[in-house]
Amino acid sequence: MRSFVAERTTAETSIRVEVRLDQEAGGALQTGLPIFDHFLAQLSFHGGFYLDVEARSFDAIRHHLVEDVGIAIGRSIDSALGERRGIARYATVTLPMDDALVRVALDLGGRPYARINLAPADGDSIEGLEVALVRHFFSSLVTTARICAHVDLLAGNDAHHCVEAAFKAFGRAYRAAWALENPGLLPSTKGVL
Ligand SMILES: [Mn+2]
């Protein structure tokens, strides 16, 4: 079972994250921000992995909370992936949700990079969660997890649809990229990731 528990407490937040890559969904999501819990549930369900998040804010600053959750999930994924032996490594998913169309292309090759092109025309926040903060979340998560991610909003206006489609597309792409394809084989000609 590829899994990891990340725990981090600072003056700003206290975060506990557990991921189990090979367990279909499950886990509780308690960040104190219902809309964020809702989006994390999409990530876990469509990613086909167990995700448990318990997050507390001490300073009531959403930026700190959302960023720290992203870092903790990224750290858990990086550790759970281990040597990354046997994984498919690459995945690209284009996912529609009503007016929204989002493409997520991933390389789990160990080199961190994030280009998050996600700026819906209608609205820059959803139920109090800023779209800019969502971009920061994805960026913090993938760079901490040493993943290269290119995210593009190809169509769509409604901010909720666009952001939800991005979480679902990320989930589907993760599931495909860390799927065990060639047991024992490192997916690189360099012999190391
Ligand atoms: Mn920040």
Side-chain angles (χ1 to χ4, degrees):
M1 169 77 80
R2 296 174 296 172
S3 64
F4 192 77
V5 178
E7 289 180 274
R8 182 165 174 261
T9 297
T10 69
E12 297 165 351
T13 63
S14 171
I15 314 279
R16 183 192 180 276
V17 165
E18 180 173 4
V19 300
R20 300 178 199 160
L21 303 188
D22 303 308
Q23 181 178 328
E24 280 286 321
L29 302 164
Q30 296 171 298
T31 64
L33 300 174
I35 189 68
F36 191 33
D37 294 345
H38 167 62
F39 289 142
L40 291 174
Q42 306 308 315
L43 187 71
S44 168
F45 181 83
H46 291 281
F49 68 105
Y50 176 100
L51 176 64
D52 190 276
V53 178
E54 199 179 327
R56 287 173 59 206
S57 172
F58 299 129
D59 61 9
I61 296 175
R62 283 194 309 276
H63 186 112
H64 296 152
L65 184 78
V66 173
E67 176 176 9
D68 287 356
V69 169
I71 289 169
I73 296 175
R75 207 179 126 216
S76 301
I77 289 173
D78 181 37
S79 298
L81 285 170
E83 283 190 314
R84 308 192 178 202
R85 212 170 269 281
I87 64 169
R89 178 175 169 180
Y90 294 103
T92 301
V93 168
T94 306
L95 188 141
M97 181 175 173
D98 301 342
D99 57 305
L101 185 66
V102 176
R103 182 183 61 215
V104 173
L106 302 179
D107 173 12
L108 271 56
R111 294 143 64 107
Y113 190 89
R115 187 180 60 82
I116 315 290
N117 169 26
L118 183 67
D122 294 349
D124 49 16
S125 103
I126 309 134
E127 311 290 331
L129 180 67
E130 296 89 343
V131 175
L133 204 40
V134 172
R135 290 195 294 268
H136 197 22
F137 167 79
F138 285 133
S139 169
S140 302
L141 192 166
V142 297
T143 53
T144 309
R146 297 188 299 118
I147 289 170
C148 166
H150 288 258
V151 177
D152 287 285
L153 177 64
L154 303 176
N157 295 309
D158 182 90
H160 191 130
H161 295 162
C162 294
V163 167
E164 184 157 340
F167 275 91
K168 288 175 170 172
F170 255 108
R172 291 283 165 166
Y174 283 150
R175 179 202 287 254
W178 66 46
L180 293 170
E181 202 174 68
N182 299 296
L185 196 77
L186 272 168
S188 168
T189 55
K190 283 187 294 204
V192 67
L193 285 181

